[in-house]
Amino acid sequence: QVQLVQSGADVEKPGASVRISCKASGYTFIDYYIHWVRQAPGQGLEWMGWINPHSGGRNPAQKFQGRVTMTRDTSSNTAYMELRRLESADTAVYYCARGGEGYCSGDKCHSRLLFDSWGQGTLVTVSS
Amino acid sequence: DIQLTQSPSSLSASVGDRVTITCRASQNIGTYLNWYHQKPGKAPKLLIYAASALQSGVPSRFSGSGSVTDFTLTISSLQPEDFATYYCQQSHTAPLTFGGGTKVEIK
């Protein structure tokens, strides 16, 4: 079965960087986008960007451009997300999620831009 | 950016009730609208994609409808495991965005 296993919780000081890993199993890693989504305590969901593991192409949300780097290692089926210049507002649970199949049946599209499997989440706390 | 407005923000219901949640998009997104639910301390789970298609393994009491800007998620008979927060998400245009969530609580 599809599984995404993320690295453990992290505490960082303001101005530091954090790197989260997301190891995929149960499917062909390069065939599906990996998205990153975060959720601040008690808040809703915020999309950060995607990476295409096949090509390495990526599309970070404009809000995070210049501060986020998404990479992948196809030899270990692992995606990574690094967020730099952390501030307290970055305290959140960070999720990786697999994109959809990328096919359409009639007008029903299981788009690459939806999230059909999720990691367990990684809590990042930014505190001095 | 495409804004998604969910209503209500919370509701109280009993087991067996029919529950309806709405999601309105700020512009035409066709049927590129997906629904998730999230239980406390857990990751979200995909329920409905493309406005009305049931994700594999999701019970048939969940259904979705709508297109263009107005969408609905319906739970035909609420079960104890359905008490959660529900989110809509548009997959039409980056940046991908979510609705603010609807918390379904036990009456």
Side-chain angles (χ1 to χ4, degrees):
Chain A
Q1 74 284 17
V2 175
Q3 223 177 353
L4 299 173
V5 178
Q6 299 182 222
S7 47
D10 206 345
V11 180
E12 298 291 347
K13 294 189 184 305
S17 300
V18 67
R19 188 189 194 215
I20 301 169
S21 67
C22 172
K23 184 171 177 60
S25 62
Y27 71 98
T28 303
F29 179 63
I30 60 172
D31 284 351
Y32 296 82
Y33 286 12
I34 291 287
H35 296 265
W36 293 91
V37 176
R38 74 178 186 178
Q39 185 171 38
Q43 302 301 308
L45 300 163
E46 181 177 31
W47 177 75
M48 299 180 69
W50 57 250
I51 183 168
N52 178 344
H54 177 72
S55 66
R58 65 212 72 179
N59 185 18
Q62 189 168 12
K63 173 178 179 176
F64 300 101
Q65 283 186 5
R67 209 159 68 93
V68 70
T69 300
M70 292 171 286
T71 58
R72 93 292 190 213
D73 178 350
T74 56
S75 68
S76 64
N77 293 344
T78 303
Y80 300 90
M81 189 279 295
E82 180 185 43
L83 188 62
R84 298 180 292 280
R85 301 192 302 276
L86 292 168
E87 50 192 69
S88 58
D90 294 316
T91 293
V93 175
Y94 289 77
Y95 294 100
C96 62
R98 193 183 80 160
E101 303 275 352
Y103 72 84
C104 294
S105 176
D107 65 345
K108 302 300 179 195
C109 290
H110 201 272
S111 166
R112 295 192 185 280
L113 305 184
L114 56 76
F115 319 114
D116 72 358
S117 295
W118 295 66
Q120 83 276 20
T122 297
L123 175 62
V124 174
T125 303
V126 182
S127 174
S128 55
Chain B
D1 298 2
I2 297 173
Q3 310 300 319
L4 297 178
T5 303
Q6 282 184 239
S7 61
S9 56
S10 65
L11 64 91
S12 295
S14 301
V15 172
D17 284 354
R18 182 181 181 88
V19 169
T20 298
I21 298 167
T22 64
C23 179
R24 175 163 288 176
S26 60
Q27 63 189 71
N28 183 352
I29 58 170
T31 57
Y32 286 90
L33 193 284
N34 314 296
W35 291 97
Y36 305 80
H37 74 186
Q38 183 181 32
K39 298 179 185 179
K42 299 294 186 182
K45 176 185 175 183
L46 178 64
L47 302 172
I48 299 287
Y49 67 92
S52 61
L54 195 66
Q55 174 69 0
S56 176
V58 174
S60 59
R61 62 181 179 273
F62 292 96
S63 65
S65 64
S67 64
V68 184
T69 59
D70 292 299
F71 303 88
T72 300
L73 174 72
T74 299
I75 309 171
S76 60
S77 177
L78 198 65
Q79 298 302 300
E81 59 268 31
D82 300 336
F83 292 95
T85 299
Y86 290 77
Y87 294 96
C88 55
Q89 176 249 332
Q90 62 84 13
S91 49
H92 183 272
T93 307
L96 310 180
T97 50
F98 293 87
T102 296
K103 187 172 184 179
V104 177
E105 299 176 298
I106 301 172
K107 181 183 281 185

